[in-house]
Amino acid sequence: QVQLVESGGGLVQAGGSLRLSCAASASGSIFRLAAMDWYRQAPGKQREFVATIDSSGNTNYADSVKGRFTMSRDNSKNTVYLQMNSLKPEDTAVYYCKLRSFGGSVYWGQGTQVTVSS
């Protein structure tokens, strides 16, 4: 069983920055071969894709965050990060990380709240 724990959320003014972390309690090989995603869910809205990173470190982003958010991974720490710059009020949401294992299993974290004030 894999557990994911997000951290780093909080309250920030528009234009500010936050860095989210997602630590996985998985074996090194499971994490190293996994693709990791960040999603977010704003109040009253569906959960939406934010960013992804594959096992080779290739990344892809939603158009709404491209150029402002950067996803990275540290396989030595079983952790992925989401650096969020130039934050906007519309970035306010609960942010979730997701692990997609090489074998096809999917795990979600419990989420961390990000609130951007105008």
Side-chain angles (χ1 to χ4, degrees):
Q1 186 71 9
V2 174
Q3 290 189 327
L4 303 174
V5 179
E6 300 98 334
S7 61
L11 173 64
V12 65
Q13 288 189 331
S17 299
L18 283 174
R19 189 177 83 152
L20 305 184
S21 300
C22 172
S25 64
S27 71
S29 60
I30 289 177
F31 183 83
R32 190 172 62 251
L33 296 176
M36 300 292 297
D37 308 319
W38 283 100
Y39 280 74
R40 67 186 181 187
Q41 188 167 18
K45 294 188 176 181
Q46 290 190 331
R47 193 171 296 190
E48 64 175 4
F49 167 78
V50 175
T52 187
I53 189 166
D54 66 15
S55 59
S56 299
N58 299 306
T59 55
N60 195 20
Y61 301 92
D63 287 343
S64 58
V65 307
K66 206 169 290 185
R68 300 188 297 122
F69 291 9
T70 302
M71 187 173 184
S72 60
R73 66 189 298 159
D74 185 341
N75 289 341
S76 69
K77 297 181 179 179
N78 280 15
T79 299
V80 294
Y81 305 95
L82 187 67
Q83 178 66 44
M84 306 187 296
N85 299 328
S86 303
L87 283 161
K88 305 175 181 179
E90 51 264 43
D91 294 318
T92 295
V94 178
Y95 283 71
Y96 300 89
C97 71
K98 178 175 125 179
L99 182 149
R100 293 180 282 124
S101 76
F102 182 78
S105 298
V106 175
Y107 304 91
W108 288 90
Q110 84 290 346
T112 185
Q113 176 71 46
V114 171
T115 303
V116 184
S117 63
S118 57

